[in-house]
Amino acid sequence: MPAPPAQAEPLAPAAPAPAPDVPADVPVRRRPRGRTKLIIAAAALLGISAGVAVGYGIQAEREPTPLAALSQPGIGYPAKPAAADRAPAPLPAAQDRRVRTDGDLRKLLVDRPKGAKKAFTDGLGLDDGWEPIDEYVQDYYDDPHYMFETLAAADLRRVASASWTQGKYRETTVELIQFRSGDTLGAADHFSEQMMYMPSDMGGADNVGDPIKGSREGRYFLYPVEREAGYLPSYRARALAVRGDIALDINIFDTVPIGKKDIRTLAERQLERL
């Protein structure tokens, strides 16, 4: 009988590859710390975007909801009209400012101080309290033609003025410049334009002035003295304010200093009458 085949010896397990020689002091490379946060943030952003898209799609598929009616019963005020004997009386003419300003504007001009003399007759010989527009712009503005067109475009209605003299050289002029009611706020615009250049030394008073009592934005100013060889010094004070459709412009000229009290008191007196 043939001999049985010899049994194969089991293979020995392969020896592990020798580890490379790594110095002990070489740093180990780590995973960047911010990468995980970026992945989480990106996932959150994608989730929000997907949620918004789904919600928009659901809302777009819904039927439109009708708005509430603009006119609803039972919400009027007052519920019942007041009885005839309890209805408020009409505003008296003395308290209705519109009635006063629509009347004779000259009657609202401040009275001349005691001892003051009426100023000379105007250039046209009218001397009735109404001042022509061309005369108003000619007296106070460097470019009267431009100012005339500006005031006309602003729908200027009329100018009432009063002038007087005190002492030897002091001259005072009070002007009420009234505009028509319309799309523009002529009086407020005219006042703002005048106030804009008052702090400048180019035609203005070179200061911000002081507030006038009784006016939210009105102010009065003292100009720097002007001196010229061969002439007396020239002092000037000015007050500007606005009340409704009327712009107030007061000017005092003198050869001696003008006190703040003089221009302030006059402006306050005039505002009380408007």
Side-chain angles (χ1 to χ4, degrees):
M1 295 183 61
Q7 294 182 353
E9 297 180 359
L11 297 176
D21 296 335
V22 180
D25 57 349
V26 175
V28 179
R29 184 176 182 182
R30 300 179 180 273
R31 183 178 180 180
R33 299 181 60 183
R35 184 173 299 174
T36 302
K37 295 182 178 179
L38 291 175
I39 294 174
I40 296 174
L45 181 60
L46 289 174
I48 294 174
S49 300
V52 171
V54 173
Y56 180 81
I58 294 174
Q59 184 66 27
E61 294 297 331
R62 291 178 177 175
E63 293 294 332
T65 302
L67 298 175
L70 297 179
S71 178
Q72 301 181 25
I75 60 174
Y77 181 83
K80 295 181 180 180
D85 56 346
R86 300 188 61 183
L91 192 65
Q95 300 179 13
D96 192 338
R97 184 182 167 279
R98 184 64 180 270
V99 172
R100 289 187 295 160
T101 58
D102 274 351
D104 192 340
L105 194 60
R106 297 172 298 178
K107 294 182 179 180
L108 298 182
L109 288 165
V110 68
D111 296 328
R112 294 196 306 268
K114 292 182 179 180
K117 298 179 181 179
K118 194 172 183 179
F120 56 86
T121 305
D122 59 32
L124 296 180
L126 299 177
D127 195 26
D128 61 354
W130 295 118
E131 184 174 0
I133 301 176
D134 57 345
E135 184 175 328
Y136 167 68
V137 297
Q138 189 72 38
D139 289 342
Y140 294 107
Y141 300 102
D142 296 333
D143 191 348
H145 296 288
Y146 167 79
M147 201 63 199
F148 183 92
E149 294 178 355
T150 300
L151 293 174
D155 215 3
L156 177 64
R157 179 179 176 184
R158 53 187 178 173
V159 179
S161 66
S163 301
W164 59 82
T165 61
Q166 292 172 288
K168 192 173 183 181
Y169 294 109
R170 175 165 294 195
E171 297 180 2
T172 302
T173 301
V174 179
E175 288 161 316
L176 304 180
I177 305 102
Q178 187 176 35
F179 295 77
R180 293 183 177 87
S181 299
D183 297 336
T184 60
L185 301 176
D189 291 343
H190 179 64
F191 168 78
S192 298
E193 290 174 359
Q194 298 304 302
M195 290 289 293
M196 187 180 301
Y197 75 84
M198 288 303 292
S200 170
D201 59 352
M202 301 296 293
D206 197 17
N207 61 81
V208 298
D210 296 287
I212 301 174
K213 183 179 179 181
S215 174
R216 185 179 63 179
E217 299 176 346
R219 304 187 76 83
Y220 63 91
F221 306 84
L222 296 182
Y223 285 66
V225 59
E226 294 183 5
R227 301 182 186 276
E228 186 176 351
Y231 294 89
L232 293 172
S234 177
Y235 293 86
R236 181 184 179 185
R238 189 184 189 191
L240 292 165
V242 63
R243 183 67 59 82
D245 57 0
I246 297 176
L248 167 66
D249 195 347
I250 300 177
N251 286 273
I252 302 177
F253 295 91
D254 206 340
T255 57
V256 296
I258 303 170
K260 285 188 174 183
K261 182 180 179 181
D262 297 341
I263 183 68
R264 183 187 72 244
T265 303
L266 182 58
E268 291 174 354
R269 287 175 51 208
Q270 180 59 76
L271 280 175
E272 290 175 355
R273 304 196 65 169
L274 295 179

